[in-house]
Amino acid sequence: MPYQHILVAIDLTEECHPVVARAQSLASTSNAKLSLVHIIEPMAMAFGGDVPMDLSMLQQQQFDQARERMNGFADSYPGLAPENRHLAYGQPRQEVHRLAKEQRCDLIVVGSHGRHGLALLLGSTANDILHGAPCDVLAVRLKKTE
């Protein structure tokens, strides 16, 4: 059965372009809707939750910068409507799963770096998203940068 709605989780780096291109190819083949999501981790999470100052202004700047980067990134893909570009605060796994359920996505596409040992198949974020996902997950292998 073809996919109806594909959600691509991206970190807005240049490495994401092959991931989005693969998802776009799948979407065009199955005539599916394509959406992008970028998760902004709250600064308190980055500092272990123990920050003795108000970070709300910095977080708003972070959100505004992410919106600009998302729009610039998404504008290079024709047909990717603004309403299909999502930004969220929180833990990537939880937010990607929440959005996939909310948007009734039947495929999540993520990029993955090859690692050694057990992490060879998936990077840590891709691995997190895979576990407990409400739908299929496709991990697109990213080429190593030299």
Side-chain angles (χ1 to χ4, degrees), residues 97-105:
H97 290 179
R98 178 193 60 77
L99 188 63
K101 286 178 195 169
E102 187 180 284
Q103 296 288 314
R104 297 185 189 140
C105 298

Side-chain angles (χ1 to χ4, degrees), residues 12 61-75 85 87:
L12 298 175
Q61 288 176 343
Q62 187 182 25
F63 191 84
D64 293 342
Q65 288 173 352
R67 181 176 312 152
E68 278 182 43
R69 288 177 52 212
M70 168 69 91
N71 288 332
F73 185 93
D75 284 345
R85 305 171 188 182
L87 293 174

Side-chain angles (χ1 to χ4, degrees), residues 19-33:
V19 178
V20 177
R22 175 75 57 87
Q24 192 173 44
S25 174
L26 279 170
S28 66
T29 299
S30 57
N31 202 25
K33 178 178 175 182

Side-chain angles (χ1 to χ4, degrees), residues 10-13 16 36-43 57-75 82 85-90:
I10 58 173
D11 64 5
L12 298 175
T13 63
C16 292
L36 299 181
V37 61
H38 173 69
I39 310 302
I40 303 162
E41 292 189 68
M43 290 183 167
M57 282 184 57
L58 286 174
Q59 286 181 330
Q60 185 59 49
Q61 288 176 343
Q62 187 182 25
F63 191 84
D64 293 342
Q65 288 173 352
R67 181 176 312 152
E68 278 182 43
R69 288 177 52 212
M70 168 69 91
N71 288 332
F73 185 93
D75 284 345
R85 305 171 188 182
H86 305 277
L87 293 174
Y89 269 120

